[in-house]
């Protein structure tokens, strides 16, 4: 197909604004799938979803569409919906020339509408603004168009009204995509240069690499090289998703499709990498490449110590599918042998954990997650900190740095007060306030990531009766007055319970955590002291009283020698447990330190 008849675009929207429904309708209108196939496929997809615990959908669909007597190739590239995968969104956008921007005709402009629209503008994409779900009875199109104009400087005359449900406006949208989104530029004769924007792992065929060809051509039998990954492979198949994978003869400049090269692990396939040819004639790497940034770490332990090797196997297997999470063995006095794992963000952490539990039989204990800190030591070296236990003694720290994010919060104006208070409590610094309309406002704050990831979203929802939405992007690492707060159980530091927090909050957090631990730890045969400490300084204490119940009560009177034996045992037990600090700490307690933020 000639380049002038190709259009590459994505759909961007706040969650639930109708992206998937519209995508299905586009596939149907272009005859890519029939209604019957779509239903079947949907079911397949759900099975897979259940099996793998994450949404698996075609991430790039090639559609053929006849318009004014010409056949066009319309490539719809899917973008992940969550901020954890923002880098992947930006790589997907760099493969498109246009973006269909949806705003729900009732809900209006939300945080991710704004974030995604700005991202698309940064990538110089032609934006086709649309009101979605116009079939809704309570749609308020005029107000939503005004919000789009106010926040995103969108020309009201350009806004199209569509419904993925009824199909209204979908043909007009296809026409607009063809008429207004520029055809890709780039030369078929040049040396191969293609962007890797996604990948998935196929049990039978290995890595399937999703590419947008910028220049040149790639076909079966070619030798290709990943320029950043610095590995060379033979191409065994090229093709497109229509919407299931279908082999084609070649992929040319401007086209979107997949490569299969007999690669046994996704670790070799880096999103954002450039595919070219081996040797000195290779094309230049495309700009914008980044290593995945693991912003959140937690410990994962088998709840039964026996399962350690099983957990390692499961982690290895998962990493073949998802190279953006990392792990390394660690030991904890409290939990034994396990792994410290790094994730792109909190949702990514949940996805990985869910998959681990589904795909292997290991029962997991997870420690409280923490963000990645940086410490500049007295020698002037900057080191990454992935867990509280790694924080050196205060005397060795020159500077303690934490990641800051810029958060956009959108809500009806009446909730501005409570939302501002929420952000201030979390050490937010206000950047600006914007009115989208007389009744909706956007607050922009810089906040420590640590204050955002755990529950800011939930707190925002409750502060705004569910109407608030938020989005954030990582800004920078900045110095902060942070300390490592340790928890001692009967005088012994429980490494997995340490947290990093602001010095000013340490007293309050310390008191809250020991209180919470007291409520989580059952009474034992002996007294348990629970303390919070910074270095050697204890700042809070609670006591779990010993069980007063006399064990001999179970003996129903009777045999005195048996009673004596029990007393002796009980005494011995008391001593042993106390001396090694062997207190049963329930698994819940390891997450309890979070809820006291
Ligand atoms: P996504 O999260 O952006 O992919 O949104 P979905 O396409 O999954 O849609 C979210 C919800 O809105 C679903 O319950 C859909 O059935 C519903 N929905 C999507 N499009 C329309 C539409 O055009 N009209 C109506 N009434 N509902 C819609
Ligand atoms: Mg969806």
């Amino acid at each position: 197909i000639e380049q002038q008849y190709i259009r590459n675009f994505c759909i961007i929207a706040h969650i639930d604004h109708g992206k998937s429904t519209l995508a299905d309708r586009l596939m149907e209108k272009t005859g890519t799938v029939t209604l019957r196939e779509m239903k079947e496929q949907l079911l397949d997809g759900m099975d897979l979803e259940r099996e793998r615990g994450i949404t698996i959908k075609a991430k790039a669909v090639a559609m053929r569409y006849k318009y004014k007597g010409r056949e066009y190739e319309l490539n719809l590239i899917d973008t992940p919906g969550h901020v954890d995968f923002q880098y992947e969104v930006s790589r997907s956008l760099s493969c498109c020339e246009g973006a269909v921007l949806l705003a729900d005709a009732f809900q209006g402009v939300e945080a991710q509408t704004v974030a995604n629209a700005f991202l698309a503008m940064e990538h110089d994409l032609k934006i086709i603004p649309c009101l979605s779900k116009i079939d809704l009875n309570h749609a308020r199109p005029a107000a939503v168009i005004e919000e789009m104009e106010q926040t995103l400087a969108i020309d009201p005359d350009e806004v199209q009204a569509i419904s993925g449900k009824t199909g209204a406006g979908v043909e007009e949208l296809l026409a607009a995509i063809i008429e207004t989104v520029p055809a890709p530029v780039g030369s078929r004769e040049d040396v191969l240069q293609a962007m890797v924007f996604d990948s998935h792992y196929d049990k039978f065929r290995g890595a399937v690499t999703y590419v947008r060809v910028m220049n040149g051509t790639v076909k079966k039998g070619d030798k290709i090289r990943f320029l950043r990954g610095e590995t060379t492979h033979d191409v065994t198949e090229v093709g497109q998703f229509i919407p299931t994978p279908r082999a084609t003869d070649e992929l040319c400049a401007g086209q979107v499709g997949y490569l299969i090269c007999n690669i046994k692990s996704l670790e070799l396939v880096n999103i954002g990498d450039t595919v070219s040819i081996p040797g000195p004639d290779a094309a230049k790497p495309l700009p914008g490449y980044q290593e995945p940034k693991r912003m959140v770490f937690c410990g994962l332990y088998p709840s039964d110590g026996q399962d350690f090797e099983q957990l390692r196997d499961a982690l290895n297997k998962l990493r073949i599918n998802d190279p953006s999470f990392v792990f390394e063995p660690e030991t904890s006095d409290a939990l034994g042998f396990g792994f410290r794992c790094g994730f792109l963000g909190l949702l990514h952490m949940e996805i990985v954990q869910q998959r681990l539990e589904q795909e292997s039989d290991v029962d997991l204990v997870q420690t409280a997650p923490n963000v990645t800190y940086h410490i500049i030591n007295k020698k002037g070296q900057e080191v990454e900190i992935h867990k509280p236990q790694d924080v050196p003694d205060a005397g060795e720290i020159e500077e303690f740095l934490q990641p800051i994010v810029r958060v956009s919060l959108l809500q009806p104006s009446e909730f501005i007060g409570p939302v501002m208070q929420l952000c201030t409590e979390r050490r937010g610094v206000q950047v600006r306030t914007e009115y989208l309309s007389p009744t909706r406002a956007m607050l922009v704050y810089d906040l420590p990531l640590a204050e955002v990831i755990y529950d800011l979203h939930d707190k925002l929802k409750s502060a705004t009766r569910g109407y608030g939405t938020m989005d954030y992007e990582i800004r920078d690492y900045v110095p902060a007055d942070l300390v490592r707060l340790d928890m001692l159980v009967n005088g012994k530091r429980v490494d997995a319970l340490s947290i990093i927090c602001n010095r000013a909050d340490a007293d309050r957090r310390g008191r809250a955590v020991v209180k919470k631990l007291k409520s989580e730890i059952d009474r034992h045969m002996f007294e348990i002291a629970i303390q919070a400490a910074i270095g050697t300084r204890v700042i809070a204490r609670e006591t779990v009283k010993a069980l007063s119940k006399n064990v001999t009560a179970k003996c129903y009177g009777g045999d005195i020698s048996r009673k004596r034996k029990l007393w002796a045992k009980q005494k011995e037990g008391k001593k042993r447990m106390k001396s090694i600090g062997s207190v049963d700490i329930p698994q819940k307690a390891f997450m309890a330190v979070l809820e006291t933020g």
Side-chain angles (χ1 to χ4, degrees):
I1 191 154
E2 279 177 61
Q3 229 173 37
Q4 56 175 309
Y5 302 119
I6 300 175
R7 300 291 181 271
N8 298 315
F9 71 102
C10 55
I11 306 172
I12 51 179
H14 191 80
I15 185 152
D16 282 346
H17 281 201
K19 186 168 109 169
S20 302
T21 308
L22 175 62
D24 287 350
R25 200 60 60 237
L26 289 172
M27 282 194 276
E28 188 196 303
K29 279 269 194 280
T30 54
T32 311
V33 290
T34 63
L35 245 155
R36 188 183 56 81
E37 279 173 331
M38 211 151 70
K39 283 211 184 95
E40 281 168 10
Q41 209 191 305
L42 214 73
L43 288 175
D44 281 351
M46 270 158 56
D47 275 350
L48 261 176
E49 217 169 289
R50 224 174 287 136
E51 200 180 292
R52 296 210 190 170
I54 54 161
T55 310
I56 296 160
K57 275 233 157 178
K59 287 174 179 157
V61 183
M63 301 178 286
R64 296 282 168 142
Y65 187 62
K66 262 221 161 72
Y67 179 72
K68 293 191 175 162
R70 293 279 183 181
E71 191 174 64
Y72 288 81
E73 178 177 308
L74 308 178
N75 293 303
L76 169 55
I77 297 174
D78 195 23
T79 56
H82 193 271
V83 302
D84 283 6
F85 307 106
Q86 204 166 35
Y87 171 64
E88 289 171 33
V89 177
S90 93
R91 293 305 79 205
S92 299
L93 294 185
S94 69
C95 296
C96 300
E97 280 78 24
V100 174
L101 172 67
L102 296 185
D104 184 306
F106 172 64
Q107 300 286 344
V109 172
E110 306 264 25
Q112 284 154 24
T113 322
V114 179
N116 284 318
F118 281 144
L119 216 51
M121 289 172 193
E122 274 170 37
H123 283 86
D124 287 329
L125 302 192
K126 167 68 194 174
I127 291 175
I128 303 177
C130 294
L131 286 180
S132 63
K133 311 193 191 178
I134 44 141
D135 61 288
L136 289 174
N137 287 332
H138 45 291
R140 37 179 203 105
V144 176
I145 289 176
E146 186 190 328
E147 290 173 14
M148 292 172 101
E149 188 184 3
Q150 276 293 319
T151 13
L152 306 166
I154 278 164
D155 179 353
D157 293 336
E158 283 183 17
V159 180
Q160 310 211 1
I162 61 164
S163 165
K165 188 173 173 188
T166 65
V170 173
E171 262 162 61
E172 290 80 354
L173 175 60
L174 282 163
I177 291 167
I178 289 168
E179 299 274 1
T180 65
V181 174
V185 292
S187 159
R188 281 174 193 198
E189 277 68 49
D190 272 8
V191 63
L192 175 66
Q193 186 191 40
M195 164 71 75
V196 176
F197 66 90
D198 212 329
S199 65
H200 81 254
Y201 190 77
D202 183 284
K203 243 190 279 185
F204 305 106
R205 317 196 60 189
V208 180
T209 306
Y210 296 50
V211 293
R212 152 74 197 267
V213 183
M214 298 297 178
N215 285 297
T217 304
V218 60
K219 57 184 186 307
K220 182 176 167 175
D222 283 355
K223 263 203 186 335
I224 55 134
R225 185 163 174 83
F226 290 118
L227 297 182
R228 312 276 179 177
E230 302 188 329
T231 56
T232 301
H233 309 272
D234 291 314
V235 177
T236 58
E237 183 178 314
V238 305
Q240 288 184 311
F241 299 95
I242 315 179
T244 47
R246 196 170 308 168
T248 56
D249 295 335
E250 55 180 18
L251 288 176
C252 299
Q255 282 188 299
V256 176
Y258 67 86
L259 306 177
I260 295 177
C261 306
N262 205 8
I263 298 172
K264 288 297 170 212
S265 168
L266 283 190
E267 274 183 79
L268 296 180
V269 183
N270 298 298
I271 291 174
D273 202 344
T274 303
V275 180
S276 191
I277 56 167
D281 296 331
K284 279 207 171 57
L286 292 159
Y289 178 74
Q290 281 172 23
E291 295 282 333
K293 280 198 199 98
R294 284 92 194 185
M295 296 311 298
V296 175
F297 279 77
C298 75
L300 289 181
Y301 289 81
S303 54
D304 175 356
Q306 306 298 309
D307 289 337
F308 176 76
E309 287 305 330
Q310 218 182 322
L311 177 55
R312 185 204 296 277
D313 288 347
L315 289 167
N316 273 322
K317 219 164 89 197
L318 209 64
R319 213 180 123 71
I320 291 173
N321 283 286
D322 179 5
S324 55
F325 101 94
V326 290
F327 64 96
E328 59 180 31
E330 74 170 356
T331 42
S332 146
D333 307 335
L335 299 167
F337 293 99
F339 297 92
R340 174 109 316 222
C341 305
F343 310 92
L344 300 173
L346 219 59
L347 175 77
H348 186 215
M349 180 176 88
E350 275 167 28
I351 292 172
V352 169
Q353 205 190 335
Q354 203 183 336
R355 291 181 63 178
L356 272 174
E357 286 186 333
Q358 274 170 9
E359 290 167 26
S360 66
D361 286 332
V362 202
D363 210 13
L364 294 172
V365 181
Q366 189 208 306
T367 65
N370 57 264
V371 303
T372 303
Y373 295 90
H374 289 181
I375 278 180
I376 299 175
N377 62 26
K378 291 286 184 201
K379 293 183 202 122
Q381 297 153 325
E382 188 160 344
V383 285
E384 277 193 17
I385 299 292
H386 295 157
K387 56 179 166 183
Q389 299 97 293
D390 288 346
V391 175
D393 289 338
E396 289 167 42
I397 301 174
E398 184 65 44
E399 212 161 33
F400 210 144
L401 303 114
Q402 67 173 342
I404 296 291
V405 292
R406 182 154 290 182
V407 189
S408 308
L409 308 114
L410 253 87
Q411 54 280 310
S413 322
E414 63 198 277
F415 298 114
I416 283 190
V419 175
M420 284 174 88
Q421 192 190 337
L422 180 64
C423 292
T424 309
E425 280 165 12
R426 313 233 155 187
R427 296 171 197 283
V429 176
Q430 195 177 353
V431 180
R432 63 171 188 276
T433 309
E434 247 174 58
Y435 280 85
L436 281 61
S437 71
T439 55
R440 281 173 69 74
M442 178 165 79
L443 293 167
V444 181
Y445 271 84
D446 282 349
L447 279 149
L449 177 61
E451 303 275 354
V452 171
I453 59 168
Y454 304 132
D455 67 349
L456 188 69
H457 188 249
D458 293 346
K459 288 272 153 60
L460 172 70
K461 286 285 175 196
S462 51
T464 61
R465 272 194 255 120
Y467 288 116
T469 57
M470 60 173 267
D471 200 72
Y472 64 83
E473 57 175 340
I474 308 279
R475 298 283 290 182
D476 210 356
Y477 273 83
V478 303
D481 193 11
L482 302 167
V483 292
R484 189 188 76 212
L485 184 59
D486 295 324
M487 301 302 142
L488 313 177
V489 174
N490 278 350
K492 198 172 180 337
R493 187 175 125 197
V494 181
D495 48 14
L497 286 176
S498 294
I499 53 175
I500 294 169
C501 71
N502 269 83
R503 190 182 304 277
D505 291 342
D507 277 354
R508 185 179 55 78
R509 298 254 342 233
R511 275 198 302 274
V513 175
V514 293
K515 205 172 208 157
K516 183 83 191 172
L517 285 173
K518 180 184 174 181
S519 73
E520 298 283 1
I521 296 174
D522 286 337
R523 289 167 81 174
H524 284 51
M525 303 305 286
F526 48 85
E527 192 176 279
I528 302 167
I530 304 168
Q531 296 167 303
I534 300 171
T536 53
R537 191 166 61 87
V538 172
I539 58 171
R541 175 184 167 123
E542 291 279 345
T543 306
V544 180
K545 291 220 166 60
L547 275 172
S548 54
K549 193 170 65 178
N550 194 336
V551 190
T552 55
K554 280 193 186 132
C555 294
Y556 310 112
D559 188 355
I560 188 73
S561 69
R562 185 146 168 235
K563 266 189 192 167
R564 283 217 187 90
K565 247 187 219 157
L566 257 176
W567 280 326
K569 223 177 172 177
Q570 193 182 339
K571 237 176 168 172
E572 190 191 317
K574 231 181 208 173
K575 213 173 107 205
R576 191 176 66 231
M577 285 201 190
K578 256 199 169 159
S579 61
I580 61 165
S582 168
V583 176
D584 287 335
I585 302 175
Q587 290 163 18
K588 286 209 295 221
F590 292 94
M591 291 303 282
V593 294
L594 269 191
E595 293 158 22
T596 57

